[in-house]
Amino acid sequence: STLFPYTTLFRSHGTIDNNPEAFKYLMEGWIQAGHNVYVLSGPTRERIEKELDNLNLEKNKHYTDIYSVVDFLQHNNTPMYQDEKQRWWACEDFDWWESKAKICSTLPFKIDIMIDNDIRYCHLNNFPFLKFHSPQTIFFLYNNGRMDFILGV
């Protein structure tokens, strides 16, 4: 694949929100360079938009669009429940984690890399997966579920 445009998919919970200033700088730079930056997270799209707004992240400045696991699962009639904090969850853990890979596979574009803090579904994807580990700011790169290298920042 060519360098431009490059498509990156970020997860907001546990990733962007653990170091918002660093990710804000990175995401804005990628957008300015002509890359596409998408955010995939668990809550509803509306809640993700509010959370990104609270982190001072703006659409078309820091990210291109948002994808919601809850919205995807509800659209596909997956059994779900709300916990005591009114957060939505799939009744089966596998449905939750597999949905992220399914969302990625149904997007109308190719993802060049995903940055997330959880590897439970990286083996289901066919693109590089960069695991963000906080608070040390360490990245682990996975290809097809296998760790390739570690980068500490």
Side-chain angles (χ1 to χ4, degrees):
S1 77
T2 61
L3 182 58
F4 292 99
Y6 198 76
T7 300
T8 305
L9 188 66
F10 278 92
R11 180 163 169 243
S12 62
H13 289 118
T15 305
I16 296 171
D17 62 357
N18 271 324
N19 198 340
E21 290 306 312
F23 283 114
K24 179 192 289 187
Y25 177 78
L26 180 64
M27 294 163 78
E28 183 174 358
W30 281 344
I31 292 282
Q32 288 176 354
H35 301 302
N36 297 304
V37 177
Y38 295 91
V39 176
L40 169 65
S41 201
T44 63
R45 180 184 180 91
E46 180 181 330
R47 183 166 161 204
I48 297 167
E49 287 171 345
K50 288 178 185 174
E51 291 171 357
L52 293 176
D53 187 53
N54 288 339
L55 295 173
N56 296 315
L57 294 169
E58 302 172 33
K59 185 173 182 177
N60 299 320
K61 181 176 181 182
H62 300 102
Y63 63 92
T64 309
D65 207 351
I66 295 170
Y67 294 93
S68 159
V69 172
V70 167
D71 293 350
F72 177 84
L73 291 171
Q74 288 177 338
H75 177 78
N76 288 290
N77 299 314
T78 303
M80 298 180 70
Y81 68 94
Q82 282 186 292
D83 66 14
E84 66 281 350
K85 295 181 181 179
Q86 301 303 304
R87 296 176 299 189
W88 284 101
W89 299 97
C91 288
E92 300 293 332
D93 272 355
F94 184 75
D95 287 334
W96 183 267
W97 296 109
E98 184 184 48
S99 70
K100 293 182 177 188
K102 285 181 180 179
I103 291 168
C104 294
S105 70
T106 61
L107 296 174
F109 47 82
K110 176 187 171 287
I111 297 170
D112 294 296
I113 193 162
M114 170 125 189
I115 301 173
D116 197 338
N117 70 317
D118 200 312
I119 63 168
R120 283 183 265 191
Y121 65 101
C122 75
H123 66 284
L124 300 171
N125 296 318
N126 61 354
F127 49 82
F129 187 98
L130 195 61
K131 181 188 184 293
F132 171 71
H133 180 73
S134 178
Q136 297 89 2
T137 312
I138 298 172
F139 293 96
F140 301 86
L141 180 67
Y142 291 80
N143 277 306
N144 298 316
R146 191 190 85 234
M147 187 169 48
D148 280 352
F149 74 85
I150 302 171
L151 170 67
V153 181

